[in-house]
Amino acid sequence: MSILIRTIEESTVFRKILRYFPIRGHSYVPPDRVFGNIEKEYRSLDKITLPSEYHSIIGKHGKCLVLGEDWKLFDIKFKSQEILKKKLTLKMMMSVCCDMRRTK
């Protein structure tokens, strides 16, 4: 990214380049507003003891999916080890590449 910026700065196409650095805490993007409203509601409560309290607060501001009820989490690393038990050797990889070239 810095190479792109340097190239643009050194080119003669642009006379003036203005850089804008957003001020922290001054975002008006819709997701930031939602998170801000959720934080305000968390702060208004003295104590949150159950996960269901978090779910109800988040549910007021958007769709809240609960792990284990609405969706499941799978162990991708374990499943990939079941499927890919052996790694391809370099010789095997070379033969696969050669075969791919011949089919074109």
Side-chain angles (χ1 to χ4, degrees), residues 74-85:
F74 295 102
D75 187 4
I76 296 171
K77 185 176 180 181
F78 176 74
K79 285 292 181 185
S80 65
Q81 287 175 353
E82 278 183 7
I83 296 168
L84 305 169
K85 291 185 178 178

Side-chain angles (χ1 to χ4, degrees), residues 1 4 9-10 20 26 35-36 39 48 58 64 82 90:
M1 188 65 153
L4 175 64
E9 287 175 342
E10 292 173 355
Y20 174 73
H26 290 80
F35 287 127
E39 277 187 38
I48 297 177
I58 294 171
C64 180
E82 278 183 7
L90 182 62

Side-chain angles (χ1 to χ4, degrees), residues 88 90-101:
L88 291 174
L90 182 62
K91 190 173 183 181
M92 266 180 111
M93 289 171 68
M94 295 281 280
S95 66
V96 170
C97 291
C98 291
D99 289 344
M100 287 175 63
R101 247 187 289 155

Side-chain angles (χ1 to χ4, degrees), residues 58-76:
I58 294 171
K60 291 178 189 175
H61 299 281
K63 189 174 184 179
C64 180
L65 300 175
V66 181
L67 176 64
E69 293 176 16
D70 300 320
W71 63 283
K72 294 180 181 179
L73 183 66
F74 295 102
D75 187 4
I76 296 171

